[in-house]
Amino acid sequence: MTPDAIGDLTVFVLSLLVGFEVISRVPATLHTPLMSAANAVHGVVLVGAIAIGTTAHTPFGYALAFLACAFAAMNVVGGYAVTDRMLHMFRSPAGRR
Amino acid sequence: MSPAESAVAVVYLAAAACFVVGLHLMNAPATARRGNTLSGAGMAAAVAATLVLAAVSGEASPIAWAVIAAGTSLGAAAGLYAALNVRMTAMPQLVSLFNAVGGGAAALIGGYEYLRLAEEGRPGAAVTALVALDAVIGAVAFSGSLVAAGKLHGLVAGHPVVFRGRGALDALLVLAAAGGCAALVAGAGGAWPLAAAVAAALALGVVGVLAIGGADMPVVVSLLNACTGIAVAMAGFVVGNAMMVIAGALVGASGAILTKLMADAMNRPLRAILVGGYGTGDEDAGGGPARQGVATVTADDAAIRLAYASRVIMVPGYGLAAAQAQHELRELAERLEAGGVRVDYAVHPVAGRMPGHMNVLLAEAKVPYPQMKEMEEVNPEFARADVALVVGANDVTNPAARRPGNAVSGMPILDVDKAETVIVIKRSLGHGYAGIDNELYTDPRTRMFLGDAKQALAELTAAVKALAA
């Protein structure tokens, strides 16, 4: 394995462990918003979609890049917006717990 | 590394930190919104940095820029429109839809990169394996999430679709996907094995999710969410972007934990859900004759019991969400409070469509957050309540769960039967998701008020109003 590959693998494994730990104490109340928030975070795939878009130079390549950009943008924008809408409702006139 | 590349790498690292801290802030209601904003800010910075780097490198042709701009703005507009206009009851299927397109994008990136590398000669085995994983996992998440969204929205039948030879078909599709991946890594047949593997993965997502009952969809959506996370991490490996690897792995792991938490809260082993064929769809719509020993109640009688109580606990369930009656429930509660009744809401961890969904629905109806009580907090209170008003909840109130040997055994329940009187608003005497009789309904303290939740609550509110007049 190349040093680069080892580095990537290290990042991947450590990130998995962080993911297991980071939401360990979430109350059931927040399960749905949390799922939605995590859903928005994987919208980071938009960065990859833009990256492949910059190298496209054939009609088929353009089509794939277009679809990937549209899908990813929908994921990321919609994901954050709907999570924010959900969490907005947790504010109550009577104050927070 | 050029200075621009170094700067972008630092922005990516900061964005990854924002994702981690943002998700961590989601652990408490008070900080959750800030967490989402932080994560969103990190995301915006990452996307902006990517665009700047692409512009500086000058690699992209004008057509490529137009393609990126058109695709991104189209997707962003569609996502924003859907997110801002969806009704909160339909929100789970929208999350599933967003998950589907995320998985689809990851799969497309894998396919594109493979074709690009193949132009320059045969891609290496390591990158090909990552492409194969990315495309296959992304494709399963794509088609599976679409079917899950269809089930949640009622476009696809909610009951498990099982047929003879389903197990064999599943096995065949898994073999086809694995075989395609193996051939791709071995370098046989160019891109065709990749196409075959993706086709098999798409079919697997459809067949697999079709076999699972509608009520289990939240757990499935959560699992597919984790799958998309892993696919995105693989896409990150393929395009050489460490931030995508971090974010994808983060979502993959936290999604897996969340799936486990949800399955536990529903008292269902994850394996049983995935094997499928269990339970019906959502709540049984069938009428069914009234059973022996069930006492019904009229709106006026129920209103008297409610209005002259000193404590009432509302127990909302899936039926309330299905009838979208959360506003009517809050109106009734306010009317009772105006008459001096203390009202609380008992929220079971899995009430509604998915864990936490009921809190969102009640919050949307402007129920004050302190009035929503979680199960552990409210269960001792039932003994002091005059009336427990159960609206469209079934299995989570079944006392049979305290005994071993039935489908709901061991499931944590709300101790509704400890209240002085129990009034149950329900469409029919049909079974809940677990498919067994609810012993609560034949309890001598229980009165059934049969009808649609929305209409029944409106009738009750009118009757309570009439009493006060």
Side-chain angles (χ1 to χ4, degrees), chain B residues 152-174:
Chain B
L152 287 166
H153 205 63
L155 297 174
V156 179
H159 62 82
V161 178
V162 283
F163 46 87
R164 277 178 61 180
R166 186 180 67 87
L169 180 62
D170 281 352
L172 200 68
L173 289 172
V174 170

Side-chain angles (χ1 to χ4, degrees), chain B residues 33 50 82 151 182 219 285 350 418 423 427:
Chain B
R33 199 167 183 215
T50 307
K151 283 209 175 204
V219 179
V350 297
K418 301 269 165 64
I423 298 175
R427 227 168 3 166

Side-chain angles (χ1 to χ4, degrees), chain A residues 54-95:
Chain A
T54 60
T55 62
H57 58 272
T58 62
F60 188 58
Y62 289 137
L64 286 183
F66 175 81
L67 213 53
C69 282
F71 277 2
M74 185 171 170
N75 183 182
V76 72
V77 174
Y80 278 107
V82 83
T83 309
D84 190 62
R85 232 185 106 194
M86 250 184 259
L87 293 172
H88 180 62
M89 288 166 186
F90 280 91
R91 290 197 308 184
S92 67

Side-chain angles (χ1 to χ4, degrees), chain B residues 362-400:
Chain B
L362 293 178
E364 186 201 19
K366 301 201 163 51
V367 169
Y369 196 75
Q371 278 186 335
M372 296 180 211
K373 299 273 166 51
E374 288 187 24
M375 185 172 61
E376 296 77 18
E377 192 184 352
V378 80
N379 265 347
E381 305 286 320
F382 278 109
R384 291 192 280 278
D386 301 293
V387 182
L389 182 64
V390 180
V391 188
N394 193 345
D395 292 336
V396 297
T397 63
N398 194 344

Side-chain angles (χ1 to χ4, degrees), chain B residues 10-301:
Chain B
V10 172
V11 173
Y12 281 169
L13 183 60
C18 285
F19 300 153
V20 174
V21 176
L23 275 189
H24 188 67
L25 289 175
M26 299 284 297
N27 272 329
T31 56
R33 199 167 183 215
R34 208 174 343 132
N36 190 52
T37 309
L38 181 68
S39 164
M43 185 66 73
V47 172
T50 307
L51 290 172
V52 168
L53 185 65
V56 169
S57 75
E59 204 179 330
S61 65
I63 305 179
W65 277 112
V67 165
I68 293 171
T72 305
S73 29
L74 181 75
L80 194 63
Y81 178 83
L84 296 184
N85 290 288
V86 69
R87 281 198 317 254
M88 272 298 135
T89 41
M91 185 264 314
Q93 49 266 49
L94 187 66
V95 173
S96 186
L97 183 67
F98 289 154
N99 185 48
V101 290
L108 286 169
I109 290 173
Y112 175 95
E113 279 295 294
Y114 180 80
L115 294 177
R116 190 179 69 83
L117 293 172
E119 274 177 24
E120 301 165 358
R122 198 180 137 192
V127 73
T128 313
L130 291 167
V131 161
L133 282 175
D134 174 9
V136 165
I137 299 172
V140 169
F142 177 72
S143 64
S145 298
L146 282 184
V147 174
K151 283 209 175 204
L152 287 166
H153 205 63
L155 297 174
V156 179
H159 62 82
V161 178
V162 283
F163 46 87
R164 277 178 61 180
R166 186 180 67 87
L169 180 62
D170 281 352
L172 200 68
L173 289 172
V174 170
L175 279 178
C181 293
L184 188 75
V185 175
W192 288 110
L194 181 62
V198 167
L202 288 172
L204 189 63
V206 172
V207 177
V209 176
L210 271 180
I212 302 170
D216 273 334
M217 276 310 117
V219 179
V220 172
V221 174
S222 178
L223 184 68
L224 292 172
N225 193 32
C227 285
T228 304
I230 296 300
V232 169
M234 295 301 140
F237 279 122
V238 172
V239 299
N241 186 316
M243 179 192 54
M244 281 173 68
V245 174
I246 295 174
L250 191 65
V251 174
S254 59
I257 292 281
L258 191 56
T259 306
K260 178 84 172 57
L261 289 175
M262 282 191 184
D264 286 352
M266 293 168 91
N267 188 40
R268 305 263 284 114
L270 196 52
R271 203 163 44 85
I273 294 176
L274 295 181
V275 169
Y278 176 86
T280 55
D282 293 323
E283 192 161 335
D284 187 3
R291 280 194 296 271
Q292 287 292 313
V294 173
T296 55
V297 68
T298 63
D300 289 334
D301 192 12

